[in-house]
Amino acid sequence: MRVVFMGSPEFALPSLRALASEHEVVTVYTQPDRPSGRGSHPVPTPAKRVALELGIPVRQPESLRNTAEQSALTALAPDVICVAAYGLILPPEVLHIPRHGCINVHASLLPRHRGAAPVHRAILAGDEMTGVSIMRMEEGLDTGPYALQTAIDLDDLSVDAATTALADAGAVALLEVLRRTEVGTVEWVAQDDSAATYAPKITRGDVAITPDLSVDAALRRVRASTRSASCRVCVAGRTVTIVRASCVRPGPPQGTVAVTGESLVLGLSDGGISIDEIRPDGRGCMDGACFARGARFESGAAWGPCA
């Protein structure tokens, strides 16, 4: 089939590569290059880099709402538009362009966790599993019917690890749905709107930890944190970012720190968490125990949320 692909971050790459291996990807739509890094130079999205490697033309409109961009897309005559974390809203005029519609790789088991941050929200909610849904796009927010769902166990996966696993699973599922579409056997299942939950964008407040939390709740917030919404705490007056942590029971008194030769432990309401990997402000990631020894924290020092 003639496919237009729309995607931007790393999550989109397995789907893009899979489509290019079995279909004619005529164009990749992705977010415009954005300034990044110390020099604030424009940086292409991961999807753009891979598209150029594959020799696929790239378009980077700021919006799909103008008629000129819609006309350009119509001229490509796609059989289907496949979307994986594109980052722009597809207006009704675009949804109706391809004869097989617009198909989205959504990183949740719909109707649970509709919205921008389904993987983060699944972790924060304590879900035992999550997955990907291959859905047909409508005007509503992730409300369209799905043709295939693939589940994975979340276990203790971080949001980055879970997203990688879901991206790979989504690519396989997307190809299967396109095969069924080609032979006319695809079946679309309507979502149960009464069971829907929503997954708004994650903020630092969503992943902040405080001494009154349980160990399980704190660890979920660490696992759901990213560079853009990081889990930051103030330990004895120093601000640090917790990158990776594990359970310790019993822990030190709530709101205090225990320092041993092997770990830096924060006391919570029902135990403690060992900071296994930490990122001090202005520095790279490092072992939590090494940081504690270098910072010369003392057991019994206070910790709490950042101001």
Side-chain angles (χ1 to χ4, degrees):
M1 284 196 286
R2 284 177 62 84
V3 177
V4 165
F5 180 76
M6 297 181 175
S8 296
E10 294 285 340
F11 178 82
L13 301 188
S15 290
L16 173 55
R17 293 187 188 277
L19 288 169
S21 71
E22 292 196 11
H23 297 274
E24 181 189 4
V25 182
V26 292
T27 301
V28 168
Y29 278 71
T30 190
Q31 290 274 333
D33 298 355
R34 306 292 188 194
S36 181
R38 183 171 298 178
S40 294
H41 299 298
V43 175
T45 67
K48 179 180 180 178
R49 292 198 301 269
V50 170
L52 295 178
E53 290 172 9
L54 296 172
I56 302 172
V58 174
R59 294 184 69 89
Q60 297 176 275
E62 292 283 354
S63 170
L64 293 174
R65 295 191 180 279
N66 65 79
T67 55
E69 197 59 53
Q70 292 168 12
S71 296
L73 182 53
T74 301
L76 294 171
D79 295 312
V80 64
I81 293 175
C82 294
V83 183
Y86 179 29
L88 289 184
I89 294 174
L90 274 60
E93 295 82 359
V94 170
L95 296 176
H96 297 142
I97 288 175
R99 65 190 182 98
H100 291 302
C102 298
I103 297 176
N104 184 41
V105 182
H106 183 77
S108 84
L109 297 174
L110 292 169
R112 187 161 178 79
H113 301 310
R114 295 173 177 175
V119 187
H120 303 76
R121 296 296 175 183
I123 292 172
L124 289 173
D127 293 358
E128 293 183 358
M129 65 174 54
T130 188
V132 287
S133 301
I134 308 302
M135 56 162 288
R136 190 172 62 210
M137 300 178 73
E138 297 179 343
E139 291 185 49
L141 177 64
D142 300 326
T143 57
Y146 58 86
L148 185 61
Q149 293 186 318
T150 302
I152 68 165
D153 291 327
L154 273 173
D155 297 322
D156 293 326
L157 293 178
S158 68
V159 67
D160 290 338
T163 299
T164 297
L166 291 169
D168 292 338
V172 174
L174 177 61
L175 287 186
E176 176 59 28
V177 169
L178 292 187
R179 292 187 193 109
R180 296 178 188 178
T181 299
E182 284 188 293
V183 299
T185 60
V186 67
E187 295 183 1
W188 297 97
V189 179
Q191 293 186 42
D192 178 2
D193 290 339
S194 67
T197 65
Y198 292 89
K201 186 177 179 180
I202 290 292
T203 68
R204 280 187 177 177
D206 293 318
V207 295
I209 64 173
T210 54
D212 60 300
L213 289 176
S214 68
V215 169
D216 289 345
L219 289 176
R220 288 197 298 269
R221 295 188 183 197
V222 173
R223 288 166 50 214
S225 65
T226 63
R227 288 298 291 259
S228 60
S230 55
C231 182
R232 293 160 58 84
V233 296
C234 184
V235 180
R238 293 193 59 171
T239 300
V240 296
T241 296
I242 304 174
V243 178
R244 187 167 48 85
S246 55
C247 173
V248 174
R249 285 195 173 96
Q254 181 175 321
T256 67
V257 174
V259 182
T260 70
E262 298 181 353
S263 61
L264 169 62
V265 181
L266 307 184
L268 292 156
S269 66
D270 62 347
I273 59 170
S274 171
I275 302 180
D276 301 322
E277 189 173 357
I278 197 168
R279 187 169 59 248
D281 277 6
R283 301 173 63 183
C285 293
M286 60 189 302
D287 179 81
C290 291
F291 172 76
R293 289 193 295 270
R296 298 182 180 178
F297 290 141
E298 295 183 0
S299 292
W303 77 272
C306 296

